[in-house]
Amino acid sequence: MTATDSVDTLWEADAIVARRERYYAASQRRFVPYETPLIFRRGAGQYLWDEGGKRYIDLLAMNVCVSVGHAHPEVVKAASAQIAELTHCTTMFYHPVPAHYAEELAATMPSGHDWVVHFTSSGAEAVDLALMLARSRTGNNDIVALADSYHGATYGAQSVTGISGFRHGIAQLGGVAFVAEPNQYRGVFGPGTAPYLAELERTIDTATSGRLAGMIVEPLQGYGGIVEMPPGYMAGAFERVRARGGLAIVDEVQSGLGRTGETFWAFEAHDVVPDIVVMAKGIGNGIPLGAVVAKREVAACMAEKFLFHTYGANPVATAVGRAVLRVIAAEGLQDNARRVGAALKAGLLDLQQKHDAIGDVRGKGLMLAIELVKDRASKEPDPETTARVFEETRRQGLVVSKSGRHRSLLRMVPPLCLAMEDVADVVAGLDASFAAAVA
Ligand code: PMP
């Protein structure tokens, strides 16, 4: 008997599907990746088991949330202890756990600045707050965002999201100008940094008032298809944005927490110090937790009014946040991401030699993707082959995700504890998936 049997949870597959179809709103039913439902029952470390007992290597980490591994004992212990003692403590009262965590998060930021933290329970809430902060602090309205960005589903976050599949046909917030993403594989201006910075200036000069509230950037775009900002882009962009009165906002919801291997926050590899950093997902290892970390003087403008996120600074979520930081340090998971990520990327590059459908392999650390094309010269995206390979990966016991504007990428963002021993299995599973799908 498992924990969920005891509370009258029915595990019969057809009934699970029927109940979801019947009671989930259309808005929550739409997003189903495979041709037939996949029902998960259990996770441990980098592995998942479905309701029939089949094991999978989790290369999606439940959408980049499970950073240190499923059911990590330290995280379970921290959550259980806190939930038993005090499950919630609203922010108007004092509790040491969120404050300790705020101190520990601030310590991960570049030194020489005075960082403060505002907790939320999701990434989109944190993005909304970042946009409000930038506008309040600067007195300017215009925000620049990148094409192919994803920042969340709420009104504010959706308004700065640059993928039409996530933008609903409703009036979005005004005052957002999009600029071409510096995609080195298929960006409109080809490879290089300078043409994209020139385009940023043109955009500021034409699509904004000329005075900016800020620019929001994912150092390594996630849903957009693992698009890494090229060297010099973030520094050049933020310099231009600051010259127009704007703030530098970095979205580390997917790319942060050691995932890119080289640095703890992905922006640190770009020689920039942001004014506002947004984080969520992996910081809570699957427990809802988000945060805006900002320079004290930037955050100060919000002191005049209440800004109350009911579950922001929840002691259970922040106890988990603390445990996650401890585990990353104790188990050397940032370095693991660097080493295992490099081995996996090498394996993916080998596959590219073998399978013509693979046009590009990119990313770093444990934030990787392969992009499928119909023809390597034209780089025409190949969503059909991607869908077939994707279906096959499931049979091979791999959980990956279809990503990108054209749904032509297989994105791999596993828990940071993916082991060296898993790499051969992942590469063999992908190899077999291509062989089966392309034959
Ligand atoms: N920013 C990025 C880069 C994201 O990937 C996401 C979620 N996929 C968000 C923000 C929004 O986070 P949430 O879904 O927790 O609101």
Side-chain angles (χ1 to χ4, degrees):
M1 178 143 144
T2 68
T4 47
D5 286 332
S6 62
V7 291
D8 194 23
T9 299
L10 304 176
W11 278 96
E12 202 265 309
D14 289 347
I16 292 172
V17 173
R19 195 167 289 112
R20 173 170 154 140
E21 289 299 311
R22 169 67 183 83
Y23 291 107
Y24 273 28
S27 45
Q28 199 137 50
R29 255 189 289 131
R30 171 82 176 81
F31 201 4
V32 176
Y34 298 106
E35 285 165 7
T36 57
L38 178 50
I39 301 165
F40 281 122
R41 178 133 199 181
R42 191 168 76 79
Q46 64 274 42
Y47 306 116
L48 284 163
W49 285 264
D50 68 18
E51 98 292 3
K54 179 176 163 73
R55 195 196 82 160
Y56 300 78
I57 300 179
D58 181 6
L59 295 157
L60 179 58
M62 291 295 166
N63 231 333
V64 214
C65 289
V66 181
S67 48
V68 300
H70 293 275
H72 192 290
E74 285 296 314
V75 174
V76 172
K77 200 168 82 185
S80 310
Q82 187 56 55
I83 212 165
E85 186 168 75
L86 186 66
T87 304
H88 190 48
C89 180
T90 189
T91 47
M92 68 184 123
F93 303 122
Y94 285 61
H95 193 280
V97 169
H100 271 304
Y101 183 46
E103 180 180 18
E104 288 156 9
L105 272 186
T108 66
M109 289 291 136
S111 56
H113 302 270
D114 190 1
W115 299 98
V116 293
V117 182
H118 182 121
F119 292 114
T120 65
S121 31
S122 73
E125 269 180 292
V127 167
D128 281 6
L129 172 54
L131 300 179
M132 283 194 278
L133 264 180
R135 285 173 168 162
S136 303
R137 164 76 179 168
T138 62
N140 300 330
N141 191 51
D142 286 310
I143 301 272
V144 178
L146 283 167
D148 272 351
S149 63
Y150 184 85
H151 297 293
T154 56
Y155 244 119
Q158 192 176 131
S159 299
V160 289
T161 287
I163 302 172
S164 72
F166 294 106
R167 291 175 66 87
H168 290 252
I170 50 175
Q172 301 283 339
L173 293 190
V176 180
F178 285 94
V179 66
E181 80 288 4
N183 182 331
Q184 300 297 289
Y185 178 63
R186 61 164 68 256
V188 280
F189 300 109
T193 296
Y196 296 93
L197 289 174
E199 177 61 6
L200 172 62
E201 281 193 21
R202 267 196 298 277
T203 303
I204 295 171
D205 285 339
T206 57
T208 77
S209 66
R211 300 295 300 164
L212 298 180
M215 177 175 185
I216 183 161
V217 177
E218 293 161 87
L220 220 171
Q221 293 185 320
Y223 285 179
I226 309 297
V227 176
E228 190 179 358
M229 297 302 112
Y233 181 78
M234 286 180 71
F238 287 160
E239 189 185 309
R240 285 161 176 78
V241 167
R242 283 174 169 145
R244 308 299 185 106
L247 301 184
I249 308 168
V250 170
D251 183 338
E252 291 275 4
V253 170
Q254 289 205 24
S255 55
L257 216 67
R259 177 163 294 282
T260 54
E262 200 178 307
T263 55
F264 193 75
W265 301 108
F267 73 76
E268 294 175 273
H270 293 270
D271 206 18
V272 294
V273 177
D275 300 298
I276 302 173
V277 182
V278 175
M279 56 192 72
K281 288 188 187 281
I283 62 169
N285 207 48
I287 295 293
L289 180 61
V292 174
V293 182
K295 290 178 180 163
R296 177 181 299 279
E297 66 273 18
V298 170
C301 66
M302 299 300 261
E304 299 302 311
K305 304 249 183 189
F306 289 112
L307 193 77
F308 179 63
H309 293 95
T310 292
Y311 295 111
N314 169 274
V316 178
T318 49
V320 165
R322 297 191 75 195
V324 166
L325 291 180
R326 282 197 304 274
V327 171
I328 290 175
E331 298 182 5
L333 292 183
Q334 180 185 325
D335 196 51
N336 189 66
R338 185 182 62 75
R339 287 182 306 104
V340 178
L344 180 53
K345 189 168 182 181
L348 300 178
L349 287 164
D350 286 345
L351 289 180
Q352 188 182 23
Q353 301 298 315
K354 212 168 150 184
H355 301 286
D356 289 342
I358 302 178
D360 195 26
V361 173
R362 58 178 182 259
K364 66 179 178 188
L366 286 173
M367 196 163 176
L368 301 170
I370 49 187
E371 178 161 356
L372 281 74
V373 292
K374 293 190 173 151
D375 171 68
R376 281 188 182 168
S378 74
K379 299 184 182 173
E380 187 186 342
D382 191 347
E384 297 83 16
T385 305
T386 309
R388 285 202 306 279
V389 175
F390 175 73
E391 278 298 322
E392 195 55 39
T393 55
R394 171 185 179 171
R395 277 186 277 280
Q396 297 293 331
L398 304 178
V399 178
V400 298
S401 99
K402 261 184 312 206
S403 297
R405 198 196 312 170
H406 308 286
R407 319 274 294 151
S408 57
L409 284 106
L410 298 175
R411 185 174 55 121
M412 283 160 261
V413 283
L416 303 175
C417 57
L418 187 79
M420 229 18 140
E421 299 81 73
D422 298 315
V423 170
D425 292 342
V426 174
V427 174
L430 286 171
D431 194 14
S433 301
F434 273 94
V438 179

